[in-house]
Amino acid sequence: MRRALMLCGCRLQFFVPIAVLLLIGAAPAHAQSNEFKFNDAHFHLTNNVQEGPNIRDFLNMMGSKAGRVALFGVPLQQEWSYRVDGDRTPTYYLHTDAPLYYYSFTDAWIAMAYKSLAREQQARLDPMITGFNPTDMYAADHIRRVLETFPGVFTGIGEFTIHKEFVSAKISGQVASLEDPALDRILDFAAEVGLVVLIHNDIDVPFAKEGSEPAYLHQIKGLFARHPNVTIIWAHMGLGRLVRPGKSHFADIEAILRDPNFNHVYFDISWDEVAKYLVATPEATQITADLMRRYPDRFLFGTDSAAPKDEPQYSKVFSVYKPLWQSLDAQTSRNVRLQNYERIFDEARRKVRSWESAHVLVPGSN
Ligand SMILES: [Zn+2]
């Protein structure tokens, strides 16, 4: 049927209106970016047990502060083991020793929430696919299946996790690795479709010996180098709750920024646990601001808020970064808060919609 439609040219007639609608959808976001404080490249609508605010309540939290948001659930479901925790219901991965497992339904949940919105509300969100196991060679097939089931919805994949303090070792099954062919297969597919990739990978292990090369720096650069055609956002600049920036951290990040082989790599500064390092002192703030000034197109603000209850909780990280915003010149600040997001996610939207036009039979197209 798909082939028949392509032969008779009916698909073409159908896809022109889609393109027009996409343009209409994207237009208000551009027009509005002057009025908003930030776009958010990193937001979890749900927590580790798949609970969170209604998407309409979340749009109210975005209000006139957050223009656009990269929206996803949490791929790792925390198991409630009655044997281990009894009636003490864990909602966060640190609340229990019970394992985490990959919860693919999160993608359907996010897609249905997005589809329940009006078009102008949808235009402010970029849903992301996260519900795959990055050690599974079939993970790329899951991503393809999500795009086929929910065409017109997703812009990228992530946040997904390879190495993360406390988390990696708790996941049932194989420990993830940056050198897993399954991960290469995922990124190859992201390149084919044009999906933006948001990856969490700690640059180092917690309590690393000062002066030693960060445990995962070499491997993640290898991953970036193997996938030059994928737009990759390295979440949290590789930092974590205990993975603090070592003496060489900013030099290591700058080496990536400076290297033309890594022009496709970006960094988000999301998570209050990361903000606590980047604006810890006036010196730390200055180092971060200087790096951003030298590479103003390569950083994105994100909240990493998960299942917020209200607006102050949602936008807390933006306030924590106040010293950074005050240290940046107006244009660099606008790039990090607003424009880099628009450029990267607009391009990904365009590419993914165009891949879907060629590969997915959109409902209602016949
Ligand atoms: Zn993360």
Side-chain angles (χ1 to χ4, degrees):
M1 187 175 198
R2 188 183 303 172
R3 193 161 294 159
L5 281 169
M6 282 165 85
L7 285 172
C8 79
C10 308
R11 279 172 74 80
L12 204 62
Q13 286 170 14
F14 173 70
F15 288 119
V16 171
I18 281 194
V20 171
L21 285 173
L22 284 173
L23 284 174
I24 294 168
H30 276 298
Q32 289 163 3
S33 73
N34 284 333
E35 304 156 27
F36 291 110
K37 298 256 188 271
F38 62 84
N39 293 320
D40 181 355
H42 194 131
F43 174 70
H44 302 274
L45 187 65
T46 62
N47 61 10
N48 281 110
V49 295
Q50 314 300 329
E51 292 167 345
N54 179 288
I55 197 160
R56 283 179 178 72
D57 293 337
F58 174 62
L59 275 160
N60 287 333
M61 294 179 211
M62 288 169 65
S64 56
K65 250 187 178 170
R68 285 170 63 182
V69 173
L71 175 85
F72 34 93
V74 172
L76 292 163
Q77 162 81 28
Q78 176 59 60
E79 182 180 317
W80 176 15
S81 167
Y82 202 83
R83 284 187 305 108
V84 176
D85 296 305
D87 291 323
R88 201 175 52 81
T89 52
T91 57
Y92 190 51
Y93 62 83
L94 291 177
H95 290 170
T96 172
D97 283 341
L100 297 157
Y101 63 94
Y102 292 105
Y103 187 81
S104 290
F105 187 70
T106 182
D107 295 330
W109 181 263
I110 291 294
M112 295 306 284
Y114 174 87
K115 283 165 74 83
S116 75
L117 299 173
R119 190 167 290 279
E120 61 273 18
Q121 295 172 313
Q122 291 176 342
R124 296 177 66 183
L125 300 169
D126 287 289
M128 309 276 276
I129 298 166
T130 66
F132 54 87
N133 175 349
T135 71
D136 184 355
M137 288 293 281
Y138 281 130
D141 299 271
H142 168 80
I143 296 165
R144 177 191 293 269
R145 203 170 298 120
V146 174
L147 293 172
E148 287 172 352
T149 309
F150 300 106
V153 173
F154 290 96
T155 309
I157 61 173
E159 175 196 33
F160 67 93
T161 297
I162 303 299
H163 291 289
K164 179 173 178 179
E165 53 186 12
F166 308 114
V167 169
S168 310
K170 276 190 60 161
I171 304 169
S172 304
Q174 300 257 19
V175 171
S177 164
L178 292 165
E179 305 205 317
D180 196 321
L183 179 56
D184 287 316
R185 196 159 181 262
I186 292 166
L187 293 198
D188 285 344
F189 185 61
E192 181 194 326
V193 180
L195 293 156
V196 61
V197 169
L198 177 59
I199 182 171
H200 178 126
N201 191 88
D202 295 347
I203 193 168
D204 208 346
V205 290
F207 309 114
K209 218 167 99 201
E210 187 61 67
S212 55
E213 158 140 345
Y216 302 117
L217 179 60
H218 181 72
Q219 285 188 5
I220 201 163
K221 284 166 89 165
L223 181 76
F224 295 157
R226 290 198 298 281
H227 298 279
N229 298 320
V230 188
T231 298
I232 300 174
I233 302 170
W234 189 1
H236 323 302
M237 263 168 101
L239 301 172
R241 178 181 272 104
L242 297 179
V243 180
R244 57 191 174 74
K247 281 202 183 79
S248 70
H249 185 72
F250 288 92
D252 291 337
I253 298 297
E254 182 152 18
I256 294 174
L257 290 163
R258 200 190 306 122
D259 188 335
N261 292 318
F262 300 129
N263 277 349
H264 58 303
V265 178
Y266 299 82
F267 298 87
D268 90 28
I269 56 163
S270 68
W271 201 7
D272 53 356
E273 297 288 351
V274 169
K276 81 179 179 220
Y277 294 122
L278 299 185
V279 294
T281 61
E283 293 73 33
T285 307
Q286 200 54 49
I287 291 170
T288 307
D290 287 346
L291 191 62
M292 288 177 166
R293 253 197 302 272
R294 287 198 290 278
Y295 304 91
D297 298 334
R298 309 288 288 280
F299 293 91
L300 297 99
F301 172 71
T303 61
D304 198 12
S305 174
K309 289 191 170 52
D310 52 31
E311 191 280 324
Q313 210 181 70
Y314 168 58
S315 64
K316 181 187 140 199
V317 181
F318 183 74
S319 316
V320 176
Y321 273 123
K322 197 170 172 196
L324 177 66
W325 309 132
Q326 289 171 338
S327 302
L328 289 173
D329 62 281
Q331 187 53 52
T332 305
S333 169
R334 281 186 58 75
N335 284 347
V336 176
R337 289 181 296 111
L338 294 160
Q339 289 177 340
N340 293 343
Y341 180 108
E342 286 164 19
R343 193 182 69 251
I344 291 168
F345 283 83
D346 281 351
E347 192 195 352
R349 265 192 202 184
R350 262 194 311 275
K351 286 182 177 169
V352 180
R353 295 297 86 81
S354 138
W355 182 89
E356 288 169 348
S357 298
H359 295 88
V360 183
L361 185 63
V362 179
S365 64
N366 44 0

